[in-house]
Amino acid sequence: MDLSTFKESTLHDQMPEGISIHLQSLWLDKKGEWEKAHHLIDTLTDEDSAFLHGYLHRKEGDQSNAGYWYRRAGKNKPNIPLDEEWENMVRYFLEKK
């Protein structure tokens, strides 16, 4: 699967089968299901989950909480549009498959 296919899948009601929890979260986020997206990764403690957690809080508008999660992930909080960050994250997690 590539970014284009993943983005297209968000136009449908059925999440693609066999995708990682991080991609599931990003899929739900794109569908406007922020709470569900957050719930999937809320208790995970690895750096990738912290990175995604930072993105979700940045999108929520909670910049201080976002900053905390980016720091936990060892990343700088990006200064790019949220849609661009979402695409970058999808690419990153697709490559980790």
Side-chain angles (χ1 to χ4, degrees):
M1 180 177 300
D2 62 10
L3 173 63
S4 178
T5 305
F6 187 82
K7 283 176 76 171
E8 184 178 318
S9 78
T10 65
L11 301 175
H12 306 286
D13 292 333
Q14 187 68 30
M15 184 184 297
E17 292 184 20
I19 60 175
S20 71
I21 195 161
H22 301 99
L23 288 169
Q24 291 174 38
S25 179
L26 287 163
W27 190 89
L28 288 166
D29 173 60
K30 189 66 157 183
K31 299 286 285 179
E33 300 283 349
W34 187 94
E35 293 284 337
K36 289 179 182 177
H38 183 260
H39 178 71
L40 279 180
I41 55 102
D42 192 33
T43 60
L44 302 178
T45 59
D46 61 285
E47 286 185 355
D48 283 343
S49 297
F51 183 35
L52 179 50
H53 209 152
Y55 159 78
L56 288 170
H57 283 291
R58 180 173 171 243
K59 183 171 185 177
E60 177 192 33
D62 187 348
Q63 300 306 314
S64 63
N65 199 4
Y68 166 79
W69 286 105
Y70 284 112
R71 286 189 300 279
R72 285 222 22 208
K75 311 264 187 206
N76 292 321
K77 186 167 67 167
N79 189 21
I80 58 175
L82 287 165
D83 286 341
E84 185 177 339
E85 184 178 10
W86 184 88
E87 288 186 0
N88 290 344
M89 295 191 93
V90 169
R91 281 189 199 96
Y92 174 78
F93 287 116
L94 284 172
E95 290 173 6
K96 290 199 72 136
K97 241 181 131 180

